[in-house]
Amino acid sequence: MKRINTAQLKQLVEAAIFVAEKPISKQQLKETVLNEFTVADSTLSKVIKELKLDYQPRGIQLVEVASGYRFQSLDALSPWLSKLWQENAPKYSRAMLETLALIAYRQPITRGEIEQVRGVAVSSNIIKTLTERDWIKVVGHKEVPGRPALYATTKGFLDYFSMASLSDLPNVDTFESMAESIASDSPLKVLNEAPSE
Amino acid sequence: MKRINTAQLKQLVEAAIFVAEKPISKQQLKETVLNEFTVADSTLSKVIKELKLDYQPRGIQLVEVASGYRFQSLDALSPWLSKLWQENAPKYSRAMLETLALIAYRQPITRGEIEQVRGVAVSSNIIKTLTERDWIKVVGHKEVPGRPALYATTKGFLDYFSMASLSDLPNVDTFESMAESIASDSPLKVLNEAPSE
Amino acid sequence: MSELVKEENRDNAPPIKEGLAAPVQQPLPLAFINGEALIKKPEDLFIPPDALEVILETFEGPLDLLLYLIRKQKFDITTLPIATVTKQYMEYVDTMMALKLELAAEYLLMAAILAEIKSRHLLPKRSDDNEEEDDPRAELIRRLKEYELVKQAAEDLDTQPRLERDIFNAHVEVSESVAPIRIEPDVSLAEIVLAFSAAMKRAEAFEHHTIEREALSTRERMSLILSMLNTSQYTPLERLFTVDEGKAGVVVSFLAILELVKEQLILCIQAGPYAKIHVKLGSHEEN
């Protein structure tokens, strides 16, 4: 195993995060570009921290999302940067966003449970679109008659919304404490009496 | 037309070059991200020059190519960055292994002689792959019509198999009797069933 | 029960034309909200007929519509004024049905739930009733609160910075000297031995003659000597021997040279007796 000095390590890590096609984790860095060097975890963390600071005043930022590190443009520049593309960013329907929010905040959750909360049927198209975007996936099946699929969000979802983990979801604490208080107000078993599909 | 200060202009130009999918020219910058600002050509050139200098000590560089500006990785980092795109070559075919074995045990040998023993043609691809792997090389030409190349194994071949010289190659008869004696516990002969080309 | 509402004739009720137009039977307050009488119909209840389809698309189902009705009039969900809300909800549903718009079954189901809650409230309470057990009103309130929470979560999620809209990936091209690395397959020595053995066995079975097996060191030396020689210049024979290999080395080299001559791969010449022997690539036949 060769040695690498901190300056070279920093250059290599910086370039690797920039040229990688997806966010790259420390583990992936160690298995690829750094695989012939002896690099302590603490050194790697230190270098990444330095890079974050280096870019703080710049137009792009080094951020950590669910599947690793990536450089992304400064949020505040989006009104001008979006002019680089002819098409506007896709807009998502309320039905899609509510379904996604329920899966994000209440995962793992079945389609039937989503329908119970929303009071309407969830179209198959929504589930299909969310799956194709790699935002949700089936993580198992609920052991009830019909064994419905249990949905959860993916790393791709967190990456897209620039989050490192589910705890970065907006108002996650408020949501949870409120959900608990609602549940304690009236017995949860009432849920079972809600109209089924 | 709005005004933009130099610091903001620099951030915006930097981010635009980073997020654009292709190299971007000054003209394109002015028509897109800068279209609502009054920016003198000289100011834009100055900002780009500053960015070039800012990145000079870094792992990526701002360069001008035919169609505009783009960031690209430092040339010197290529050997390591290449590792981000690793691919596993397919396993060697039986024809490849037999060709290599014949060159090892019967060197120096011509392609025609290998074909005589194997009873089938040896594809140029096999010779090419073994040569590229630096396991075989041409050591001369047989002075017969057509002057066919004589192949032999290389030092690289010996190194790969941790042998000091070819005399370390196992004696086939001894090897086989050893293999037979342990064949009952471990199915070494399965190796013979490797898929052919 | 704080609300007092006159039962409406649902089948004959004309669609509300405008917010201020009072329907025929409207002498009583619409509702008492927290003790205050509500006389006027809320203006937003006016629905232009061509907007109905839009409304169906605007509301994400009956819970959403109910929430809208409650919020628009600044009611409190926890004191859900069931009669008022039911009445307004029915007006929407009736108008949609009158216009033969396809109404999702969920809207009708909610209408039935609301009607049931209302009728229960009209009935005198029985003292032995255990209301806590299955109070449909409490259940509806719970569902409304829960749905409101999800609606808010969806809105929050929509404002979360996201790729393609608020943030963009900063991507850098690799320099031209970056080339994908191929990981070559592993080969074991056993595979080579077995491959050789298999090839030889096939050849023997096929050609019915045995193939002589020379010492490998000789064949290796043959390769080495070949790579030291060329076709144009003669090389002195002694250069093919190395002293530090000792006697065994000389023997191997000598055997290799004899074999190469036999296979007509090299040419040996000697100018006269006891003169130096020179070798070069090529065969006697050609010269």
Side-chain angles (χ1 to χ4, degrees), chain B residues 18 71-73 75 78 82 85-87 89 92 98 101 106-107 133 143 152 160-161 166 173 176, chain C residues 171 173 175 177 179 181-187 192 197 201-202 207 212-213 219-220 223 226 282 286:
Chain B
F18 268 120
F71 283 96
Q72 67 176 43
S73 66
D75 210 23
S78 296
S82 296
W85 293 271
Q86 280 181 346
E87 51 177 35
Y92 287 155
E98 285 190 9
R106 310 282 296 163
Q107 61 189 276
R133 191 142 188 201
E143 294 304 327
Y160 183 89
F161 293 100
L166 273 183
D173 297 330
E176 282 191 330
Chain C
H171 184 72
E173 285 300 312
S175 101
S177 50
I181 288 184
R182 252 172 88 92
I183 300 172
E184 300 295 345
D186 276 328
V187 177
I192 292 181
S197 159
K201 278 190 188 127
R202 266 207 324 277
E207 292 182 9
E212 55 193 299
R213 295 180 176 177
R219 300 214 70 93
E220 183 180 35
S223 297
L226 279 176
E286 282 177 18

Side-chain angles (χ1 to χ4, degrees), chain A residues 71-87:
Chain A
F71 282 97
Q72 64 183 38
S73 65
L74 205 60
D75 198 2
L77 297 175
S78 65
W80 301 283
L81 292 179
S82 51
K83 292 180 186 173
L84 287 168
W85 291 274
Q86 299 277 311
E87 287 166 37

Side-chain angles (χ1 to χ4, degrees), chain B residues 42-94:
Chain B
S42 58
T43 317
L44 185 55
S45 299
K46 194 184 127 236
V47 159
I48 291 175
K49 205 170 162 188
E50 276 180 28
L51 283 170
K52 268 191 190 166
L53 284 172
D54 289 352
Y55 281 91
Q56 217 149 57
R58 309 208 71 96
I60 53 162
Q61 309 283 300
L62 177 56
V63 295
E64 187 174 4
V65 293
S67 53
Y69 294 92
R70 75 165 188 207
F71 283 96
Q72 67 176 43
S73 66
L74 198 64
D75 210 23
L77 299 173
S78 296
W80 299 282
L81 293 179
S82 296
K83 293 180 184 176
L84 287 169
W85 293 271
Q86 280 181 346
E87 51 177 35
N88 285 313
K91 261 191 87 63
Y92 287 155
S93 65
R94 181 176 171 153

Side-chain angles (χ1 to χ4, degrees), chain A residues 62-76:
Chain A
L62 176 55
V63 295
E64 185 176 8
V65 290
S67 46
Y69 295 92
R70 76 165 175 226
F71 282 97
Q72 64 183 38
S73 65
L74 205 60
D75 198 2

Side-chain angles (χ1 to χ4, degrees), chain A residues 14 36 48-52 69 73 102 104-105 107 115 132 137 143 145 157 161 166 168 179 181 185 191:
Chain A
E14 178 184 41
E36 55 187 76
I48 290 174
K49 207 170 160 185
E50 278 180 25
L51 283 170
K52 270 191 191 167
Y69 295 92
S73 65
L102 268 169
Y105 283 91
Q107 58 189 286
E115 289 174 342
E132 280 172 357
K137 65 178 173 194
E143 289 307 326
F157 161 77
F161 287 91
L166 283 175
D168 292 339
S181 76
D185 279 352
L191 255 180

Side-chain angles (χ1 to χ4, degrees), chain C residues 28-43:
Chain C
L28 291 169
L30 264 179
F32 288 95
I33 302 138
N34 297 331
E36 278 180 61
L38 180 75
I39 314 246
K40 281 202 290 185
K41 265 185 186 292
E43 298 210 1

Side-chain angles (χ1 to χ4, degrees), chain A residues 18-20 70-73 75 78 81-82 85 89-90 92 94-95 97-98 100-102 105-106 116-121 133 160-163 170-171 175 178-179 182 185-186 189-191 195, chain C residues 58-64 104 106-107 109 113 132-134 138-139 142-143 145-147 149-158 160-174:
Chain A
F18 267 121
V19 302
R70 76 165 175 226
F71 282 97
Q72 64 183 38
S73 65
D75 198 2
S78 65
L81 292 179
S82 51
W85 291 274
Y92 296 101
R94 274 185 56 202
L97 286 165
E98 286 181 9
L100 183 59
L102 268 169
Y105 283 91
R106 290 273 175 84
Q116 270 177 7
V117 175
R118 295 194 57 237
V120 283
R133 285 232 65 168
Y160 191 85
F161 287 91
S162 204
M163 294 184 271
N171 303 320
F175 189 93
M178 279 181 73
I182 291 169
D185 279 352
S186 75
K189 62 170 168 136
V190 179
L191 255 180
Chain C
T58 308
F59 292 111
E60 288 296 319
L63 287 172
D64 197 25
E106 290 98 344
Y107 283 91
L109 182 68
I113 292 172
E132 299 265 317
E133 275 299 293
D134 58 339
E139 165 61 8
R142 193 198 60 78
R143 287 185 64 192
K145 278 165 130 185
E146 188 179 37
Y147 178 68
L149 203 55
V150 170
K151 202 178 147 182
Q152 186 58 46
E155 281 169 22
D156 291 347
L157 194 60
D158 201 25
Q160 180 78 6
R162 68 165 89 137
L163 283 182
E164 298 177 279
R165 190 188 66 184
D166 312 301
I167 46 181
F168 305 94
N169 258 327
H171 184 72
V172 163
E173 285 300 312
V174 289

